[in-house]
Amino acid sequence: MEGGRGGKRWRFATPNLAVAAAGERSIQRYLLQLHACLDEHGPRPVIPLSHGDPSSSACFRTAPEAEEAVAAAVRSGDYNGYSSPATSLPARRAVAEYLSCDLPYKLCTDDIFLTSGGTQAIEIVMSVFGQPGANILLPKPGYPKHEAHAVFHRMEVRLYDLVPERGWEINVEAVEALADENTVAIVITNPNNPCGNVYTYEHLSKIADTASKLGLLVIADEVYGHLVYGSTPFVPMGVFGETVPVLTLGAISKRWVVDSLRSFRNLTTGPATFIQGAIPHIMKNTNDEFFRKTLELLKETAEICFGEIKEIKCITCPHKPEGSFFMMVKLDISQLSDICDDIDFCSKLVKEESVVLLPGRALGMENWLRITFALDPPRLKQGLERVKSFCRRHQSHANMLNISASAKVEPHFGMSKS
């Protein structure tokens, strides 16, 4: 950078290429582009079917017990200072007890590392394994922050396919072909974001056996582990902790890689102290009725979304979601006029209908779309009706002629000879 007195060159101004490369993997980058297309003075409210934050809808508001636990921790005055082992111990113990309920062994407080949300957990994991020459296996489609932090820490990313025709199962054979002596881990997301599928016990067992054969750590992103409402029950990857080392975002099975994680954890800050103080009360006091209603509502909105999508000819959903609150759908560009790809589709949709969908390109899947259905049912229906209207309006002329021809009924007049 040239500037300042005498044209001085500042040494700090050299661009960080790793930061730039990681930023290219951001969902936020695509959403900012879409929101720039919005007519801020339009007559209709914006309906966001692209975001991953259901709290924007009142029906998905946080449990009152959780709100009160946080407020009580703040009011107590006991959590006004820095975090310490004494501060985090009750929270880690509560998390260990909670997670152990679904595992064939017991976790202890030393197995638990608290972070400020899932993003920091991803950052810490990728920092620990990000060594020169290392590569990591990530799903396609997948959650972009996994790839962004891997790239930022200069790891080589190798993408394995999820197969839509098989309910978005992992192509295990492809995983074996991708791995080599420099592969350190495989990341799986279950329940899946962005596909909404839930892996069976048998499929997870096959993944565990494959990872064990290849000598890989399994990093299991299970953020949506208890948002399952379909016929396939959620099985935590930690169940296979005796077969393969498993690192779950939020808990660790057994004690592989603990030393490295603890060393890096000492360099970072943890969650706010009052949040740590609230965790035991949130886990103990939140009413089961809250979770039951949330799952019932997600099941209802998933049904609405799946049913409405079936009525849109240029969009197909290969697999009905059973977990999380996302759905991946295929966009058939050939049925649309003046639409060239998924980004063009989403840009024109938000401009004309004030509905925001996430283009599949943001997830590595061109001409796919991710739909978020964690919205109150009336607004969700309204948003999907706008998508239908948009698709009808942009339907290709040739396709309209085909539909017209197939629907046309020729009259027949019978005549009898006298």
Side-chain angles (χ1 to χ4, degrees):
M1 174 181 176
E2 300 295 335
R5 294 180 180 177
K8 185 175 180 63
R9 181 179 184 276
W10 300 104
R11 298 180 184 277
F12 63 83
T14 303
N16 187 326
L17 297 181
V19 172
E24 289 293 311
R25 274 79 175 175
S26 171
I27 285 179
Q28 193 67 18
R29 180 171 72 93
Y30 289 90
L31 293 181
L32 287 172
Q33 292 174 359
L34 293 177
H35 278 272
C37 300
L38 274 172
D39 181 0
E40 296 181 1
H41 305 290
R44 295 185 294 182
V46 177
I47 299 181
L49 302 181
S50 60
H51 65 306
D53 180 12
S55 63
S56 62
S57 294
C59 58
F60 285 103
R61 182 174 175 172
T62 301
E65 294 89 347
E67 295 175 348
E68 178 54 35
V70 172
V74 173
R75 289 194 300 263
S76 72
D78 295 335
Y79 304 98
N80 292 345
Y82 291 120
S83 179
S84 69
T87 305
S88 66
L89 183 60
R92 290 187 291 122
R93 182 184 296 120
V95 172
E97 292 173 355
Y98 177 77
L99 294 172
S100 293
C101 294
D102 296 324
L103 299 175
Y105 48 84
K106 295 295 182 183
L107 297 171
C108 68
T109 56
D110 287 340
D111 294 323
I112 305 301
F113 297 83
L114 298 178
T115 62
S116 297
T119 296
Q120 190 191 22
I122 294 169
E123 179 184 4
I124 289 175
V125 169
M126 296 304 176
S127 299
V128 167
F129 295 107
Q131 302 179 36
N135 68 70
I136 189 167
L137 307 183
L138 302 181
K140 176 186 176 182
Y143 183 49
K145 286 191 176 178
H146 294 146
E147 184 174 357
H149 284 286
V151 168
F152 178 72
H153 292 288
R154 295 176 171 80
M155 301 177 75
E156 179 192 351
V157 171
R158 298 184 178 182
L159 300 175
Y160 64 84
D161 289 328
L162 305 182
V163 186
E165 297 80 12
R166 300 206 309 249
W168 296 107
E169 283 189 346
I170 294 171
N171 186 336
V172 178
E173 293 75 19
V175 167
E176 291 198 45
L178 284 171
D180 62 21
E181 66 276 6
N182 294 317
T183 307
V184 294
I186 177 173
V187 174
I188 68 167
T189 306
N190 183 45
N192 194 275
N193 170 13
C195 304
N197 59 303
V198 179
Y199 293 131
T200 63
Y201 179 96
E202 292 74 20
H203 190 57
L204 291 172
S205 178
K206 188 175 182 180
I207 295 167
D209 289 340
T210 302
S212 177
K213 173 184 173 183
L214 297 171
L216 305 181
L217 169 75
V218 177
I219 300 172
D221 187 336
E222 297 177 354
V223 169
Y224 302 102
H226 292 282
L227 294 181
V228 173
Y229 39 81
S231 59
T232 305
F234 169 67
V235 178
M237 194 68 200
V239 165
F240 305 97
E242 299 291 348
T243 301
V244 65
V246 178
L247 180 65
T248 303
L249 296 189
I252 186 170
S253 75
K254 299 304 177 185
R255 297 191 178 172
W256 287 286
V257 303
V258 165
D259 289 341
S260 295
L261 282 170
R262 184 175 292 115
S263 296
F264 189 85
R265 189 68 186 78
N266 290 338
L267 302 176
T268 65
T269 59
T273 51
F274 63 87
I275 296 296
Q276 295 184 45
I279 286 175
H281 302 282
I282 292 172
M283 292 189 163
K284 179 181 179 182
N285 299 327
T286 301
N287 197 312
D288 288 342
E289 184 68 7
F290 168 79
F291 297 110
R292 185 186 66 79
K293 288 182 177 179
T294 299
L295 291 179
E296 285 182 356
L297 184 57
L298 280 176
K299 185 174 183 178
E300 178 187 355
T301 55
E303 292 281 357
I304 290 171
C305 196
F306 188 71
E308 295 291 324
I309 288 298
K310 286 198 291 186
E311 297 181 11
I312 304 176
K313 295 187 179 301
C314 63
I315 299 177
T316 55
C317 179
H319 183 75
K320 186 177 180 180
E322 296 188 274
S324 78
F325 39 79
F326 302 104
M327 175 190 294
M328 281 294 283
V329 297
K330 175 69 174 174
L331 181 63
D332 184 356
I333 295 297
S334 68
Q335 297 196 40
L336 300 170
S337 62
D338 70 347
I339 302 286
C340 62
D341 59 23
D342 54 313
I343 293 180
D344 191 32
F345 179 95
C346 292
S347 298
K348 289 176 178 173
L349 174 68
V350 74
K351 184 175 183 178
E352 297 178 24
E353 298 287 349
S354 296
V355 175
V356 189
L357 298 181
L358 185 69
R361 189 85 59 87
L363 309 167
M365 298 284 281
E366 186 174 357
N367 292 336
W368 287 75
L369 307 167
R370 188 189 76 173
I371 303 176
T372 303
F373 49 82
L375 218 64
D376 57 276
R379 272 209 305 165
L380 177 62
K381 290 180 181 178
Q382 184 184 21
L384 293 170
E385 282 297 329
R386 293 189 199 176
V387 175
K388 284 186 199 177
S389 176
F390 174 84
C391 291
R392 284 194 295 265
R393 192 162 60 249
H394 288 270
Q395 196 169 18
S396 68
H397 180 65
N399 193 47
M400 290 177 69
L401 289 177
N402 290 336
I403 293 173
S404 177
S406 64
K408 187 175 181 181
V409 178
E410 294 291 341
H412 175 74
F413 298 92
M415 298 180 65
S416 59
K417 293 182 179 179
S418 56

